[in-house]
């Protein structure tokens, strides 16, 4: 077959793919998502079936019999678990705008830059061989079609004559055009997904066509092939498990590797998680995808048996899919089969290289550029365009590496063996991913340790020996062990023999990887951010159901955030994002204003979509200040669910209320106790004050009764007078006690009249004229004839006047007593001053005299007549009238009582 | 009725003049020589010059209270034989205990029965 025909067909096919992708992208721009469909999702997942499946399964079946099924049984077995595992990964990734498996692991362990780099390195080094076998398969296919029956193909004289080189170049162009057309914040490429899904159909249809041709065209159905196969020992062997040389242990390891690969291979993660349009597609994909795997494997064994029976060893079993139609003259079918294999290879390469380039640029190139201030600093270079360039260069780099690997190493191995090396590399990510999803305690250090240990063992046991075998490095460590230590032979590590290299490497790398991960995690403390991310990953349902925790308190200028977003996403995209945020949150950002944590998170998440979580974090850190998280916030994140938080908040409030109530009660109780003590004191004092006059009355009346005859008239009269006076004293006391009770129970005045204080004063003085005269006290009155009006209770104000005058009378100079009364108006107040010329009031007593039952005594004056309630009552009445009372006194110069009452102004 | 030839002396201490008047009458009627004081300090001053057989003491007085006066009396060697009667309106058990603790022999509560008061004083005078 002419080379031009093959190339022409391939180019036509690629053009068709472009058209599909272009149309789907166009529809997406119009708002119609063609790929938002569970069947397309399931078909796109079939990117899992690469040229390895298309060509390699047949090759594998010829040597390993049914063992080729292992890599398909793993994913099939895992399918029912998708609903849990894949759904959780999708939810987390949508929430965090995660764009790759490296991003996922980095984000889980505190948005770690180191982990991003590590996972990217493992992925790139692990997957390059896998890409290389796709190139090899296509090259193989072209050579088979063009040189069939023409003997072995000679090595090309120059690289420009090498078909593999041109295949690589074509793939690179194809990938660059598909994977880096635009920079999407979510890394969604609907056109790419549609093309991949279409290619999956082509793969299945062409492979099935070849299968039908072989089974029913060359032979007479399945029964015929299998019957004929049993007649030959080499083909009969292929029908049994035992003779395939695969132990049950390797079988299990194989299934486990493929089980991890289906979610951890960068392209699988990209298609199943990043490109996923809705988690609702998972249930359908759970049976469609396994069904696809079943269908594409049905004809593997018949084709392998037929090839083995028809050809000699001159034809490589990996090419049976093409060789069988060619041998039977069905050239067009062979060409169609080639297109199927080409589909398998291109879909794998395009998606894988795109996923790897995202990882490579986001986790290695961009952090480096940010650290060296090449982008994201103050220059205004268009970051979006530069990011795309970085992606393109990354893709070229991947493919050049793959080409180099295929040229130098890949030729010595069959497709499946090289593929499994990649599977084992991808499986190293399993502990960090699965532990990260379900084990909150897992730390960054644990993840780093596990990955490093797993990667080193993988590298030592698989790719290094293969490079040694290819003659690139010295072979001695393979045969002698590292540094000549027999325990360190890459195919018999720690003395373990009897396993094939893949099983052996997978066992040791995964075993020690998991242990390192678990033990280091348990013995290290996670960082703050790591904790919050751990909680988010493990309890993602809590976060998507409602509002997010406001975990990080950060501050940044809105202008800075805009500038950052402009640089990485471009002007229009960032503008529309800000508009979107504004519509959702309803505020107008002013560039100089400080953005809230919410907006910063929004910008970071969108930025993460373009450059990965760790890089986005670095960029945001450069413009945002982070506040320290308080301890109780950490406690909140770590140990309490949202409900518990709310509950404890309610309890806290209740507790606070209780504390306040208790305090109030304690205070009230204290006041009651104080009142009780006052009441008890009052009663004791009143009792004493009552008993004293009763004692005099009783004793003297008894004397009069008993000794009536013996007493002279003078004494009798004196005693009777005492009895009368003491009775008055009792009455007075009783009245005043009642007054106090009245004052206490009624804070407000009952009757309010306009009262002239001058009139009251004059009438009171007139009423007490007799008393003044008895004591030889003179009274000086103010001369003014004006009225001094106040609002108040006339009787009570009279009582005030009486009390003050009585008090003055009591303490006047006993020989030449004088009382001076003054009335003034000062501002809005009336001042009443009553001044005596007695001994004055000692300083210490001045506050006390207004308290109840306080009486002043002096040696000379003896016991004053009174109850000790007069001034107390006076003060209470004055206060009821909105006034104040105070006393001024100089020892030896008398005392002046001043009452200040509000003036009534018409 | 006079019990002793040389009239026995009694000091009455109370801040209520009317009660002092009544007590003076009652005791004079029995033939005692009555001295009067209206505050605690005044009582102590008087005791510098006289040595009464009995001191009738009020408790609640301005300045020094009766309990304090009693304690001071008990510290005066000259008054070793002087008996102290509290006559007070303070009538709780605790007040009584304070009274006895301060050195008094008797504790009577106001208002009192004239006969009971007089016979108490007479008994003290007769039997010591």
């Amino acid at each position: 077959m002419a080379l031009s025909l093959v190339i022409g067909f391939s180019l036509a096919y690629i053009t068709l793919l472009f058209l599909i992708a272009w149309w789907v992208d166009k529809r997406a721009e119009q708002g119609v998502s063609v790929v938002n469909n569970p069947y397309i999702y399931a078909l796109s997942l079939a990117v899992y079936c690469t040229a390895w499946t298309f060509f390699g399964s047949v090759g594998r079946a010829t040597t390993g019999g049914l063992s080729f099924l292992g890599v398909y049984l793993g994913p099939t077995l895992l399918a029912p678990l998708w609903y849990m595992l894949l759904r959780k990964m999708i939810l987390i990734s949508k929430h965090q705008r995660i764009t790759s498996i490296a991003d996922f692991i980095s984000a889980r362990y505190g948005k770690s830059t180191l982990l991003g780099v590590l996972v990217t390195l493992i992925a790139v080094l692990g997957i390059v061989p896998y890409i290389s076998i796709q190139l090899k398969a296509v090259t193989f296919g072209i050579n088979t079609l063009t040189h069939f029956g023409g003997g072995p193909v000679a090595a090309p004289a120059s690289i420009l004559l090498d078909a593999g080189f041109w295949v690589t170049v074509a793939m690179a162009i194809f990938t660059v055009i598909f994977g880096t057309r635009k920079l999407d914040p979510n890394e969604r490429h609907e056109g790419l997904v549609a093309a991949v899904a279409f290619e999956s159909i082509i793969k299945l249809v062409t492979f099935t066509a070849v299968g039908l041709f072989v089974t029913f065209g060359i032979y007479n159905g399945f029964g015929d092939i299998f019957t004929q196969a049993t007649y030959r020992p080499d083909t009969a062997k292929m029908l049994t498990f035992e003779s395939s040389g695969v132990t049950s242990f390797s079988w299990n390891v194989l299934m486990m590797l493929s089980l991890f690969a289906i979610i951890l291979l960068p392209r699988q993660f990209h298609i199943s998680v990043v490109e996923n349009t809705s988690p609702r597609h998972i249930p359908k994909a759970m049976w469609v995808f396994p069904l696809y795997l079943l269908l594409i494997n049905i004809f593997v064994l018949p084709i392998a048996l037929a090839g083995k029976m028809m050809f000699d060893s001159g034809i490589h079993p990996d090419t049976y899919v093409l060789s069988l139609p060619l041998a039977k003259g069905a050239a067009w079918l062979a060409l169609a089969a080639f297109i199927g294999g080409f589909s398998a290879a291109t879909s794998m390469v395009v998606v894988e290289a795109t996923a790897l380039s995202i990882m490579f640029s986001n986790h290695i190139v961009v952090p480096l550029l940010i650290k060296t201030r090449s982008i994201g600093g103050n220059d205004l270079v268009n970051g979006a365009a530069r990011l795309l360039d970085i992606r393109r260069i990354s893709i070229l780099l991947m493919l050049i590496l793959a080409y180099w690997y295929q040229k130098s190493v890949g030729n010595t191995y069959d497709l499946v063996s090289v593929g499994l090396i990649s599977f084992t590399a991808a499986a190293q990510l399993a502990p960090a991913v699965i532990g990260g999803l379900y084990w909150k305690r897992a730390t960054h250090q644990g993840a780093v340790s596990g990955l490093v240990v797993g990667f080193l063992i993988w590298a030592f046991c698989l790719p290094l020996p293969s490079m040694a075998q290819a003659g690139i490095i010295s072979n001695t460590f393979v045969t002698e062990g590292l540094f000549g230590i027999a325990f360190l032979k890459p195919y018999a590590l720690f003395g373990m023999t009897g396993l094939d290299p893949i099983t052996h490497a997978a066992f040791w790398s995964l075993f020690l990887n998991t242990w390192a991960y678990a033990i280091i995690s348990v013995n290290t403390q996670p960082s703050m951010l790591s904790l919050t991310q751990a909680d988010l990953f493990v309890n993602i349902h809590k976060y998507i159901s409602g509002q997010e925790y406001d975990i990080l308190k950060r501050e940044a200028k809105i202008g800075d955030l805009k500038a950052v977003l402009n640089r990485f996403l471009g002007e229009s995209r960032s503008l529309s994002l800000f508009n979107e945020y504004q519509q959702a949150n309803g505020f107008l950002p002013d560039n100089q204003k400080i953005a809230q944590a919410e907006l910063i998170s929004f910008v970071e998440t969108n930025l993460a979509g373009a450059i990965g979580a760790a890089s986005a974090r670095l960029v945001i850190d450069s413009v945002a200040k982070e506040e320290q998280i308080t301890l109780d916030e950490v406690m909140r994140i770590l140990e309490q669910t949202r409900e518990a938080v709310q509950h404890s908040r309610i309890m806290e409030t209740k507790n606070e209320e209780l504390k306040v109530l208790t305090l109030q009660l304690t205070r009230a109780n204290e006041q009651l106790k104080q009142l009780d003590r006052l009441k008890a004191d009052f009663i004791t004092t009143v009792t004493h004050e009552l008993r004293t006059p009763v004692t005099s009355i009783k004793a003297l009346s008894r004397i009069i009764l008993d000794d009536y005859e013996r007493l002279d008239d003078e004494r009798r009269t004196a005693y009777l007078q005492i009895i009368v006076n003491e009775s008055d004293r009792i009455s007075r006391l009783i009245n005043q006690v009642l007054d106090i009770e009245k004052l206490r129970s009624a804070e407000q005045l009952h009757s309010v009249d306009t009262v002239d204080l001058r009139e009251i004063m004059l009438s009171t003085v007139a009423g007490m004229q007799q008393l003044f005269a008895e004591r030889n006290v003179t009274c000086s009155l103010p001369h003014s004839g004006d009225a001094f009006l106040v609002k108040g209770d006339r009787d009570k104000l009279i009582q005030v006047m009486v009390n003050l005058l009585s008090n003055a009378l009591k303490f006047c100079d006993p020989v030449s007593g004088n009382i001076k009364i003054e009335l003034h108006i000062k501002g809005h107040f009336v001042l009443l001053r009553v001044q005596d010329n007695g001994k004055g009031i000692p300083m210490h007593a001045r506050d006390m005299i207004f308290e109840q039952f306080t009486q002043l005594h002096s040696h000379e004056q003896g016991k004053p007549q009174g109850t000790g309630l007069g001034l107390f009552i006076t003060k209470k009445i004055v206060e009821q009238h909105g006034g104040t009372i105070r006393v001024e006194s100089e020892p030896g110069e008398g005392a002046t009582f001043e009452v200040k009452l509000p003036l009534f102004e018409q | 009725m006079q019990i002793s030839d040389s009239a026995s002396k009694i000091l009455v201490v109370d801040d209520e003049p009317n009660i002092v008047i009544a007590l003076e009458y009652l005791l004079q009627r029995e033939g005692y020589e009555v001295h009067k004081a209206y505050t605690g300090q005044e009582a102590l001053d008087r005791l510098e010059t006289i040595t009464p057989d009995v001191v009738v003491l009020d408790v609640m007085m301005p300045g020094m209270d009766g309990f304090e006066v009693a304690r001071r009396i008990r510290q005066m060697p000259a008054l070793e034989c002087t008996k102290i009667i509290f006559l007070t309106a303070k009538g709780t058990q605790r007040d009584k205990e304070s009274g006895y603790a301060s050195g008094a022999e008797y504790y009577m509560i106001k208002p009192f029965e004239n006969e009971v008061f007089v016979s108490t004083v007479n008994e003290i005078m007769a039997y010591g």
Side-chain angles (χ1 to χ4, degrees):
Chain A
M1 197 182 294
L3 180 65
S4 55
L5 184 70
V6 176
I7 289 172
F9 239 85
S10 303
L11 285 178
Y13 179 67
I14 285 178
T15 310
L16 177 65
L17 290 180
F18 271 128
L19 283 175
I20 291 170
W22 175 78
W23 178 73
V24 168
D25 275 339
K26 203 179 164 197
R27 295 291 285 162
E29 274 163 28
Q30 290 164 352
V32 182
S33 178
V34 177
V35 299
N36 188 1
N37 175 305
Y39 296 102
I40 293 187
Y41 179 63
L43 283 173
S44 68
L45 286 177
V47 73
Y48 182 71
C49 298
T50 64
W52 159 0
T53 306
F54 203 89
F55 298 121
S57 283
V58 173
R60 177 80 170 185
T62 55
T63 55
L66 289 170
S67 70
F68 73 93
L69 277 175
V71 292
Y72 306 101
L73 283 176
T76 306
L77 285 175
L78 187 67
L81 285 175
W82 286 359
Y83 196 72
M84 278 167 60
L85 193 68
L86 188 57
R87 191 161 177 275
K88 193 169 187 184
M89 288 169 77
I90 289 173
L91 291 176
I92 293 166
S93 300
K94 298 296 164 194
H95 185 273
Q96 297 268 291
R97 306 270 167 120
I98 282 167
T99 56
S100 66
I101 184 72
D103 204 9
F104 189 85
I105 292 174
S106 147
R108 162 62 180 82
Y109 299 96
K111 305 189 179 181
S112 154
T113 314
L114 174 62
L115 272 175
V117 171
L118 205 55
V119 175
T120 304
L121 282 179
I122 293 174
V124 169
L125 295 177
I127 303 307
V128 160
Y130 202 176
I131 297 178
S132 79
I133 60 173
Q134 312 301 319
L135 304 176
K136 180 180 167 186
V138 174
T139 315
F140 237 53
I142 293 174
N143 287 340
T144 305
L145 285 183
T146 53
H147 292 82
F148 187 71
V153 183
S158 124
I159 193 169
L160 293 177
L161 295 176
D162 180 19
F165 173 75
W166 291 109
V167 166
T168 309
V169 170
M171 289 280 194
I173 293 168
F174 191 55
T175 308
V176 164
I177 293 172
F178 262 101
T180 64
R181 278 183 51 223
K182 58 180 173 137
L183 197 66
D184 187 278
N186 299 323
E187 287 302 346
R188 296 274 313 285
H189 313 78
E190 295 211 342
L192 177 66
V193 173
V196 166
F198 177 75
E199 287 184 296
S200 291
I201 297 173
I202 297 298
K203 282 186 282 191
L204 184 60
V205 168
T206 52
F207 192 82
T208 308
V210 173
L212 289 171
F213 174 76
V214 170
T215 312
F216 297 101
I218 304 177
Y219 292 90
N220 295 317
F222 291 107
D224 186 25
I225 292 187
F226 290 129
T227 318
Q228 291 200 32
T230 48
Y231 298 147
R232 290 169 57 128
D234 55 344
T235 48
K237 192 183 77 167
M238 287 160 62
L239 298 172
T240 59
F241 279 109
E242 294 75 19
S243 54
S244 68
V246 179
T247 64
S248 63
F249 183 70
S250 339
W251 183 256
N252 286 329
V253 168
L254 198 61
M255 291 214 302
M256 187 179 70
L257 286 180
S258 58
L259 187 143
F260 289 146
I262 193 70
I263 50 171
L264 298 177
L265 282 171
R267 74 170 188 285
Q268 291 304 133
F269 185 90
H270 187 82
I271 288 290
S272 61
V273 176
V274 180
E275 300 279 6
N276 175 275
T277 44
S278 165
R280 285 194 307 275
H281 297 161
I282 297 173
K284 207 149 260 168
M286 273 165 59
W287 64 265
V288 174
F289 178 60
L291 179 66
Y292 185 96
L293 292 182
L294 174 71
L295 292 177
I296 207 160
N297 279 303
I298 282 178
F299 290 105
V300 169
L301 207 52
I303 294 173
L305 291 171
K308 193 86 177 172
M309 287 188 282
M310 285 184 64
F311 300 121
D312 298 324
S313 55
I315 304 237
H316 198 293
D318 282 351
T319 66
Y320 282 171
V321 179
L322 303 176
S323 310
L324 281 169
L326 282 175
K328 289 291 168 188
W332 287 104
L333 182 61
L335 189 57
F338 169 74
I339 293 298
F342 184 64
S343 286
T346 49
S347 59
M348 183 278 178
V349 171
V350 169
V351 179
E352 199 81 86
T354 303
L356 285 176
S357 78
I358 291 169
M359 285 159 68
F360 192 73
S361 70
N362 285 357
H363 295 281
I364 293 178
V365 181
V366 173
L368 267 175
L369 292 180
I370 291 168
K371 285 247 163 94
T372 56
R373 305 226 163 259
S374 298
I375 56 168
N378 293 323
D379 66 323
L380 288 168
V381 177
N382 186 344
R386 282 192 74 171
L387 276 179
L388 282 180
D389 286 340
I390 293 166
R391 295 274 170 88
R392 289 176 184 130
I393 294 165
S394 309
I395 289 171
L396 288 177
L397 206 66
M398 302 301 144
L399 286 169
I400 289 167
L401 261 176
Y403 176 70
W404 169 80
Y405 187 88
Q406 188 234 320
K407 280 280 140 198
S408 51
V409 185
N411 275 332
T412 52
Y413 289 90
D414 60 32
L415 298 179
V416 172
S417 301
V418 178
L420 281 174
I421 292 176
S422 295
F423 270 34
T424 313
Q428 302 310 319
L429 309 178
V433 169
I434 293 168
L437 282 173
Y438 296 101
W439 190 36
K440 223 156 125 178
R441 186 70 188 78
T443 65
H444 171 249
Q445 293 93 325
V448 171
S449 315
L451 286 174
V452 168
V453 167
F455 174 70
L456 288 179
I457 294 173
W458 168 80
F460 180 69
C461 293
L462 290 175
L464 286 182
S466 71
M467 286 165 85
Q469 233 143 315
I472 296 167
I473 51 174
S474 161
N475 199 29
T476 49
F477 79 97
V478 180
T479 50
E480 312 283 329
L482 189 63
F483 312 123
I485 304 167
F487 253 46
L488 297 179
K489 283 184 192 166
Y491 292 143
L493 204 58
F494 310 123
M496 184 186 265
T497 53
L499 291 175
D500 63 280
I502 296 286
T503 310
H504 170 266
F507 169 77
W508 278 119
S509 60
L510 281 173
F511 178 72
L512 295 175
N513 176 342
T514 309
W515 267 99
Y517 173 69
I519 285 174
I520 303 290
S521 283
V522 168
N523 289 297
T524 47
Q525 286 303 314
S527 72
M528 184 60 47
L529 186 62
S530 190
L531 277 177
T532 62
Q533 288 294 100
D535 189 54
L536 190 139
F537 272 58
V538 175
N539 300 316
I540 182 67
H541 296 281
K542 192 171 75 188
Y543 289 85
I544 54 169
S545 57
Q547 275 189 308
E548 286 175 48
Y549 285 120
D550 187 14
I551 291 164
L552 289 170
K553 287 185 173 172
R554 289 181 296 185
E555 282 184 349
K557 275 188 191 162
I558 287 173
D560 289 346
L561 290 176
K562 273 186 179 170
V564 161
L565 217 50
N566 277 349
R567 240 169 262 154
F568 288 97
L569 298 184
E571 197 97 28
S572 63
R573 177 71 191 142
S574 85
L575 195 67
S576 75
L577 273 176
F578 268 94
N579 285 339
E580 181 191 315
Y581 183 82
Q582 196 175 321
Q583 272 176 2
N585 294 277
F587 83 98
L588 200 68
D590 173 349
N591 286 354
Q592 286 309 307
K593 284 273 165 60
I594 298 299
Q596 285 164 344
E598 211 182 322
L599 176 58
I600 298 175
S601 299
F602 176 78
V603 170
E604 187 183 338
T605 331
N606 279 289
L607 207 52
I611 58 175
S615 300
R617 180 150 182 78
L618 282 175
V619 170
I620 293 292
D621 278 351
S622 68
V623 296
K625 282 181 294 183
E626 198 169 299
E627 282 178 29
Q628 199 57 47
I629 296 178
T630 60
L631 183 64
D632 61 350
E633 280 170 308
V634 178
M635 296 305 287
R636 186 177 71 179
I637 296 155
L638 279 184
E639 286 165 16
Q640 296 174 327
T641 65
R642 189 186 306 272
E643 290 83 356
V645 176
Q646 281 169 349
H647 186 66
S648 81
R649 276 206 193 123
I650 293 168
M651 293 303 285
E652 232 167 69
T653 324
K654 286 255 162 77
N655 201 15
E656 281 302 311
E657 283 169 3
L658 268 179
K659 269 184 193 162
V660 172
L661 268 178
T662 312
L663 200 66
Q664 285 174 345
L665 271 176
T666 314
R667 277 189 194 147
N669 198 29
E670 275 306 310
Q671 279 178 345
L672 276 176
K673 276 185 188 164
Q674 178 78 12
L675 273 177
D676 211 40
R677 272 198 293 276
L678 281 176
K679 201 111 186 167
D681 288 350
F682 183 75
I683 287 168
T684 311
T685 317
V686 168
T687 313
H688 181 265
E689 292 302 310
L690 281 170
R691 272 178 181 162
T692 305
V694 166
T695 305
S696 312
I697 291 168
K698 193 181 175 188
L700 290 169
S701 51
R702 189 81 222 173
I703 288 168
I704 294 169
L705 201 59
D706 291 348
D707 297 354
Y708 190 81
E709 299 302 330
R710 285 174 57 184
L711 287 171
D712 52 48
D713 281 353
E714 198 187 331
R715 273 208 179 178
R716 208 155 51 210
T717 313
Y719 290 175
L720 284 169
Q721 185 60 53
I722 290 172
I723 290 170
V724 171
N725 287 348
E726 294 287 53
S727 302
D728 286 346
R729 187 176 160 191
I730 294 173
S731 314
R732 216 162 47 232
L733 187 65
I734 290 169
N735 287 337
Q736 288 188 330
V737 168
L738 290 175
D739 280 349
I740 289 175
E741 280 310 302
K742 256 189 269 171
L743 282 170
R744 274 191 185 143
S745 56
E747 293 294 321
Q748 298 296 312
L749 292 171
H750 284 301
S751 55
V752 178
D753 303 312
T754 309
V755 183
D756 182 2
L757 275 186
R758 181 183 156 77
E759 184 258 313
I760 284 182
M761 178 200 68
L762 289 176
S763 65
T764 308
V765 170
M768 292 174 78
Q769 205 58 59
Q770 186 66 28
L771 287 168
F772 288 126
E774 274 174 22
R775 302 229 182 167
N776 198 23
V777 169
T778 55
C779 186
S780 4
L781 299 176
H783 300 294
S784 162
D786 297 340
F788 294 86
L789 296 179
V790 295
K791 274 281 188 187
D793 184 321
R794 185 184 162 80
D795 290 345
K796 287 191 170 170
L797 289 172
I798 289 175
Q799 198 179 352
V800 167
M801 199 64 82
V802 170
N803 285 351
L804 288 176
L805 288 177
S806 313
N807 207 53
L809 203 56
K810 233 186 308 184
F811 289 98
C812 259
D813 187 87
V815 186
S816 58
N818 179 265
I819 296 171
K820 192 175 160 194
I821 306 171
E822 290 174 32
L823 274 169
H824 303 286
I825 288 178
K826 192 177 178 186
H828 300 289
F829 291 94
V830 181
L831 296 184
L832 166 68
R833 293 163 70 91
V834 178
Q835 186 179 2
D836 64 57
N837 63 343
K839 292 185 71 73
I841 301 165
M843 184 69 92
H844 67 86
R846 265 172 228 172
D847 292 329
M848 260 165 55
I849 55 171
F850 295 106
E851 299 299 315
Q852 51 197 5
F853 297 115
T854 308
Q855 281 183 304
L856 289 182
H857 304 265
S858 75
H859 218 32
E860 291 79 14
Q861 285 160 329
K863 174 84 178 177
Q865 291 296 307
T867 56
L869 293 173
L871 280 175
F872 174 71
I873 291 169
T874 305
K875 184 178 181 230
K876 286 283 163 193
I877 294 172
V878 169
E879 283 172 355
Q880 268 187 339
H881 284 77
T884 54
I885 185 168
R886 64 192 188 95
V887 64
E888 294 167 1
S889 181
E890 289 293 323
E893 302 202 359
T896 305
F897 284 87
E898 184 187 273
V899 171
K900 189 176 175 186
L901 289 168
L903 176 68
F904 174 64
E905 293 156 301
Q906 272 125 338
Chain B
M1 186 174 30
Q2 200 158 330
I3 287 169
S4 147
D5 293 333
S6 56
S8 303
K9 284 188 222 97
I10 295 178
L11 176 64
V12 175
V13 188
D14 201 312
D15 64 332
E16 286 287 331
N18 294 334
I19 290 173
V20 174
I21 288 169
L23 293 175
E24 186 184 18
Y25 175 82
L26 289 172
L27 294 171
Q28 276 175 352
R29 194 181 68 185
E30 297 300 311
Y32 299 114
E33 184 184 322
V34 177
H35 297 265
K36 296 171 283 185
Y38 296 95
T39 66
Q41 192 55 50
E42 195 184 348
L44 293 174
D45 292 346
R46 296 300 301 275
L47 289 170
E48 297 288 324
T49 52
I50 57 163
T51 309
D53 299 286
V54 171
V55 176
V56 178
L57 201 51
D58 186 18
V59 173
M60 286 174 77
M61 292 184 293
M64 194 186 296
D65 74 358
F67 297 142
E68 182 59 27
V69 176
R71 275 192 287 275
R72 302 259 180 116
I73 290 172
R74 282 291 159 253
Q75 285 166 6
M76 297 163 87
L79 301 176
E80 210 176 343
C81 299
T82 301
K83 304 284 182 276
I84 297 173
I85 303 174
F86 273 118
L87 186 62
T88 172
K90 284 173 79 78
T92 67
Q93 188 60 35
R94 222 174 51 215
D95 295 329
K96 270 190 191 174
E97 281 161 15
S98 310
Y100 291 127
S102 65
E105 277 77 17
Y106 292 89
Y107 195 98
M108 296 180 75
I109 291 168
K110 291 173 182 174
F112 54 88
E113 295 295 337
N114 290 359
E115 295 309 315
V116 175
F117 173 71
V118 169
S119 58
T120 305
V121 175
N122 286 342
E123 261 174 54
I124 294 169
M125 290 299 182
Y127 308 108

